[in-house]
Amino acid sequence: RQPWDVVVQWENHLRNSAKPNRRRYYHGGALESPVYTILAASIALPTACTTNRDCHLEMEMQNARYAAPPAACPPGLEYLTQVDTLLVQQKKDCWEILTDWEQANRYVIRNVAGHQLMFAQEQSSCLQRMCCKNERGFTLHLTDNGDREVIRVSREFKCCWGCSCCINTCPSCAMEITVEAPPGTPVGRVRQCHYMCAPKFEVIDHNNQPVLHINGPMCVCDCSTEFAIQTVQGDQTIGKIQKKWGGLAKELFTEADNFGINFPIDLDVKCKALLIGATFFIDFMFYESNNNN
């Protein structure tokens, strides 16, 4: 259905019950029927839509903007309250593919329809990128389509790489990331746990309380691999972070990785931000080294 059909129905309903101010909308060069100001403000109609898909996306994004977000929702993450699936696509340039000179990573976060929601840009030392590879420290700046930074993911460089054998005796050796949303306001961190065979991670909120666990497979490879998102008790799987197979040529000659994130739609938006950070954490730990390719 066209969004204009909704306007016509409500206009007929309100005609006899209220007399607010009216204004006229132009659509496709033709003058449409009068639209009530109070109704137009509530659904925020677009003034120009080339296709039904564009109209639907515009309505969806503006409804998320004008709908009352949860009280604890960080600014800029209102749209995350309405999604249960995200796609993370790494972007590689030709210079890095031809010369193997490690560039700062770039990612695009999309919804299931393929529309871009955020863009992530890595900030790190060139020396660490070339010498330390996936062990380097970094900061990822995630900006929305308005170029506003809404999430910041950072990891400190550690001389002791997070070996699972060392973590049990030396907890400071464990690798972890810190997530801020917005920048300057920590919402939690994702920490590497001690494990024997399958990698494990702990998602910790800003009160230093574990909220989720992430359990990886026995074998982490470049083909499709799933990391299960589980409750703290470990008795229920509520989502997953999945490495997507990008094709033979892409996997052999580049380090560009694609991930899918699934979580409950009613999950706390801060936990969703932490899971986005966990996806980058997994990519850097297991898929950034040239040896894996």
Side-chain angles (χ1 to χ4, degrees):
R1 297 173 59 188
Q2 292 284 353
W4 318 107
D5 298 335
V6 181
V7 173
V8 172
Q9 291 182 5
W10 276 97
E11 186 178 19
N12 294 333
H13 173 72
L14 295 177
R15 189 183 304 277
N16 299 324
S17 60
K19 296 181 180 179
N21 295 328
R22 295 182 175 186
R23 60 182 178 182
R24 292 178 177 268
Y25 275 87
Y26 286 86
H27 180 243
L31 181 64
E32 299 292 343
S33 60
V35 179
Y36 286 96
T37 304
I38 185 173
L39 177 61
S42 64
I43 63 175
L45 289 175
T47 57
C49 296
T50 56
T51 64
N52 292 345
R53 182 182 180 184
D54 292 337
C55 288
H56 176 73
L57 177 63
E58 184 70 19
M59 291 282 290
E60 182 182 359
M61 296 295 289
Q62 294 209 20
N63 285 341
R65 187 179 301 117
Y66 288 108
C73 180
L77 302 185
E78 294 83 2
Y79 185 71
L80 291 183
T81 62
Q82 303 184 18
V83 297
D84 59 1
T85 302
L86 293 173
L87 305 177
V88 180
Q89 180 183 16
Q90 186 176 2
K91 311 294 289 184
K92 289 290 184 179
D93 53 31
C94 295
W95 176 257
E96 181 174 355
I97 296 174
L98 295 175
T99 64
D100 199 30
W101 185 270
E102 186 71 25
Q103 302 292 315
N105 284 357
R106 298 175 298 140
Y107 302 86
V108 176
I109 296 92
R110 306 180 186 273
N111 60 12
V112 290
H115 301 294
Q116 178 174 324
L117 303 180
M118 286 180 280
F119 181 81
Q121 174 70 48
E122 177 192 356
Q123 178 184 357
S124 59
S125 166
C126 179
L127 180 62
Q128 289 190 23
R129 289 199 303 269
M130 294 303 300
C131 300
C132 303
K133 297 294 183 180
N134 57 338
E135 303 175 7
R136 65 181 181 265
F138 62 86
T139 299
L140 280 170
H141 304 275
L142 279 72
T143 56
D144 60 12
N145 292 332
D147 202 26
R148 175 181 57 167
E149 186 174 3
V150 293
I151 300 177
R152 181 176 296 173
V153 181
S154 58
R155 182 181 75 175
E156 295 182 356
F157 172 75
K158 293 184 178 181
C159 295
C160 179
W161 174 238
C163 175
S164 60
C165 300
C166 301
I167 294 175
N168 199 25
T169 57
C170 183
S172 61
C173 291
M175 301 300 296
E176 69 176 31
I177 61 165
T178 301
V179 180
E180 303 173 8
T185 305
V187 296
R189 54 196 175 96
V190 181
R191 186 177 185 275
Q192 180 188 19
C193 299
H194 171 72
Y195 62 90
M196 295 300 296
C197 298
K200 299 180 184 296
F201 301 91
E202 191 174 39
V203 181
I204 305 171
D205 65 9
H206 64 286
N207 294 321
N208 205 30
Q209 296 297 319
V211 291
L212 294 171
H213 285 165
I214 301 175
N215 296 327
M218 297 284 291
C219 176
V220 180
C221 57
D222 284 325
C223 58
S224 297
T225 306
E226 290 187 4
F227 291 77
I229 303 171
Q230 298 181 338
T231 58
V232 176
Q233 295 76 15
D235 56 352
Q236 184 180 3
T237 299
I238 62 172
K240 64 182 179 181
I241 299 173
Q242 183 177 15
K243 166 70 165 63
K244 304 287 187 179
W245 173 253
L248 182 61
K250 186 175 181 180
E251 297 292 345
L252 286 178
F253 300 108
T254 75
E255 297 175 0
D257 301 312
N258 296 326
F259 292 87
I261 315 173
N262 298 99
F263 39 67
I265 194 170
D266 58 349
L267 185 67
D268 183 11
V269 68
K270 294 182 180 179
C271 289
K272 294 181 181 181
L274 288 170
L275 292 177
I276 293 175
T279 303
F280 297 127
F281 193 16
I282 291 172
D283 182 38
F284 272 88
M285 285 195 63
F286 300 108
Y287 300 105
E288 190 63 20
S289 175
N290 285 334
N291 294 331
N292 289 335
N293 290 324

